[in-house]
Amino acid sequence: MKIFQLVITSASFLCLLQFAASLRNKNGHWWYLGLSPTYLNGRDRRDDGDAAHRCNIRYFTPEQKKLCIKDDDILQVIARGARKGIQECQYQFRTRRWNCPTKNSTDVFGKVLQIKTRETAFIYAIQAASVMHEVARACAKGELKTCGCDSNIRNQKTDGEFEWGGCSHDINHANLFVSQFVDSTEIKVKAPGQMNLWNNEAGRLAISGEMKLLCKCHGVSGSCSIKVCWRTTDNFRKVGKNLKEKFDGASHVKYSKKKQKFKPRNKFQKLPGKTDLVYIKESPDYCTPNHKTDSLGTKGRLCNSTSQGLDGCQLMCCGRGYYTTVKQVEEDCDCKFIWCCEVKCQRCKYKIQQNFCN
Ligand SMILES: *[C@@H]1O[C@H](CO)[C@@H](O)[C@H](O)[C@H]1NC(C)=O
Ligand SMILES: *[C@@H]1O[C@H](CO)[C@@H](O)[C@H](O)[C@H]1NC(C)=O
């Protein structure tokens, strides 16, 4: 009887532990590294212990801790990736009602993530893309012990047009690392988890599908008799722009548990492709502050009084109207180059009108 009780209590204790762990993962996220100066600026090796200690971050999953311990320099790389993703999100959405606000909590984007909207889809995709971009670059720069340049690329045919040289970004390594690291936060049997996994992959494909070739010519006086090329990830601003287009064309889907796949809500729509973003719920309008979604509303936001688009005052201010202020701006103008080597400018003062939502 005693043993039986013991088994029961330890089983429920385990349950409780698992429950606590799932709560932690739900509210905390590796993205938070991107808001943390400690990780962004590198670390002070003198007093922060060994890798196991440094990787014991409370909002990491066990898988993430394991990957981190293999080479804890990855922490800085992930932090940079997370920050770049946040900044790109805010840049791409600067003229939208929802402008990718963050808060100083481990879930970074707040409760908006708990509704599985296209904004959530974008966040997952841009963060996965961003950290993959950063990992590929860090590997090529030799910042990490576990990776470097892509050596297999030299087996790829070039039809005699060029030779492989330089340091190609090892996109396969970056893809594998990021899928292990990023996907490990998801509960795979549920629709929200499936949605996140899908959009994580779309984000990774936004990187691996848009690689570019850089080349250098060698030969007598620019004859280019020998052309050496290497493959790198594309400029991240372009990746952000592509994903923003995917956001605008995202598929509204429902998850079929039986078939374990997504189907379009509207049966006349085609199935989403691997590079498309998918979402389950329509977005709220983000017009007014709402603590349930951590929406800040659009009061006080800058808007364009002559635009009919989403940045226009009509749509941005949700019909509440706007007020106009005049701002005095002073900047350099009529700059002249004086030989040699000076640039002389006038200071010009002028006024600009700015509109803000009521
Ligand atoms: C964010 O919160 C943490 C912990 O509460 C605190 O140490 C840190 O200074 C805060 N950062 C900012 C930018 O407010
Ligand atoms: C406002 O919108 C108009 C029309 O779309 C555009 O031409 C103009 O450049 C915009 N102004 C600003 C400051 O973005």
Side-chain angles (χ1 to χ4, degrees):
M1 186 65 194
K2 265 224 170 106
I3 289 175
F4 184 64
Q5 262 177 352
L6 198 69
V7 169
I8 295 246
T9 46
S10 60
S12 51
F13 181 63
L14 265 181
C15 254
L16 208 67
L17 273 185
Q18 270 171 4
F19 178 65
S22 71
L23 271 187
R24 197 162 53 228
N25 289 344
K26 192 169 152 200
N27 294 325
H29 220 284
W30 60 269
W31 304 329
Y32 193 51
L33 290 183
L35 297 183
S36 163
T38 323
Y39 298 106
L40 286 169
N41 302 339
R43 53 172 199 259
D44 186 347
R45 280 186 179 273
R46 277 167 306 177
D47 52 48
D48 56 359
D50 59 1
H53 180 74
R54 281 191 294 270
C55 293
N56 191 21
I57 291 172
R58 94 192 125 85
Y59 47 88
F60 269 14
T61 62
E63 176 76 13
Q64 287 172 339
K65 288 181 190 172
K66 225 161 55 191
L67 287 165
C68 170
I69 287 170
K70 279 191 198 159
D71 180 359
D72 62 329
D73 283 329
I74 197 71
L75 280 174
Q76 284 169 62
V77 178
I78 291 166
R80 289 204 306 261
R83 181 180 54 174
K84 200 168 64 175
I86 294 166
Q87 287 170 345
E88 189 59 28
C89 182
Q90 295 182 340
Y91 176 80
Q92 293 296 338
F93 285 85
R94 69 201 180 285
T95 59
R96 299 278 185 128
R97 283 182 190 161
W98 179 80
N99 60 351
C100 204
T102 57
K103 50 193 258 183
N104 187 17
S105 64
T106 54
D107 59 2
V108 180
F109 300 96
K111 292 181 203 139
V112 71
L113 295 166
Q114 288 169 24
I115 322 170
K116 306 315 275 182
T117 59
R118 56 171 90 215
E119 285 76 23
T120 301
F122 183 85
I123 289 170
Y124 276 81
I126 195 86
Q127 290 299 336
S130 182
V131 76
M132 180 159 155
H133 194 254
E134 208 55 43
V135 167
R137 286 189 351 153
C139 291
K141 282 194 280 181
E143 283 183 35
L144 297 168
K145 291 193 275 288
T146 45
C147 58
C149 309
D150 185 355
S151 52
N152 290 326
I153 204 165
R154 285 159 201 261
N155 302 327
Q156 283 190 20
K157 288 210 179 71
T158 64
D159 295 328
E161 281 174 25
F162 60 87
E163 287 171 29
W164 289 111
C167 178
S168 290
H169 285 183
D170 190 346
I171 208 62
N172 291 325
H173 171 83
N175 188 42
L176 184 67
F177 176 84
V178 172
S179 57
Q180 287 171 342
F181 188 87
V182 170
D183 289 356
S184 73
T185 56
E186 301 308 328
I187 300 165
K188 297 185 172 56
V189 293
K190 297 241 174 93
Q194 283 295 332
M195 173 181 144
N196 296 343
L197 289 172
W198 182 288
N199 295 317
N200 285 346
E201 186 179 1
R204 298 198 306 274
L205 288 170
I207 300 291
S208 56
E210 297 288 331
M211 303 290 286
K212 64 178 179 190
L213 209 55
L214 292 180
C215 298
K216 214 177 192 169
C217 278
H218 297 279
V220 201
S221 59
S223 67
C224 209
S225 51
I226 303 168
K227 194 170 165 190
V228 173
C229 300
W230 59 99
R231 198 169 62 179
T232 71
T233 50
D234 208 345
N235 177 292
F236 196 64
R237 179 58 29 97
K238 255 169 88 182
V239 174
K241 187 166 171 282
N242 288 344
L243 283 174
K244 174 70 180 318
E245 277 162 21
K246 298 286 182 191
F247 168 90
D248 287 325
S251 302
H252 190 190
V253 293
K254 60 180 167 209
Y255 185 64
S256 157
K257 251 191 181 162
K258 217 161 65 202
K259 293 189 182 150
Q260 296 200 335
K261 64 181 194 186
F262 287 113
K263 285 195 305 196
R265 280 269 161 188
N266 176 342
K267 63 178 179 227
F268 300 111
Q269 260 171 2
K270 67 178 176 56
L271 285 173
K274 283 283 175 202
T275 59
D276 293 326
L277 302 186
V278 300
Y279 66 97
I280 296 169
K281 278 244 158 46
E282 290 291 3
S283 306
D285 61 22
Y286 301 109
C287 280
T288 47
N290 182 344
H291 70 92
K292 278 197 202 126
T293 57
D294 278 334
S295 166
L296 305 172
T298 62
K299 189 179 158 114
R301 288 280 304 281
L302 197 62
C303 64
N304 183 334
S305 59
T306 56
S307 166
Q308 300 298 313
L310 292 168
D311 62 333
C313 294
Q314 188 60 30
L315 287 177
M316 176 67 81
C317 310
C318 310
R320 295 186 308 264
Y322 60 94
Y323 61 92
T324 303
T325 61
V326 177
K327 196 171 148 190
Q328 181 100 297
V329 193
E330 202 181 319
E331 61 176 34
D332 285 347
C333 58
D334 293 334
C335 295
K336 286 198 184 78
F337 181 73
I338 299 168
W339 202 83
C340 178
C341 296
E342 207 183 344
V343 178
K344 273 237 162 79
C345 294
Q346 306 284 322
R347 289 297 280 180
C348 288
K349 281 185 191 168
Y350 57 95
K351 288 173 177 170
I352 55 168
Q353 271 196 7
Q354 288 184 315
N355 309 301
F356 299 94
C357 291
N358 288 327

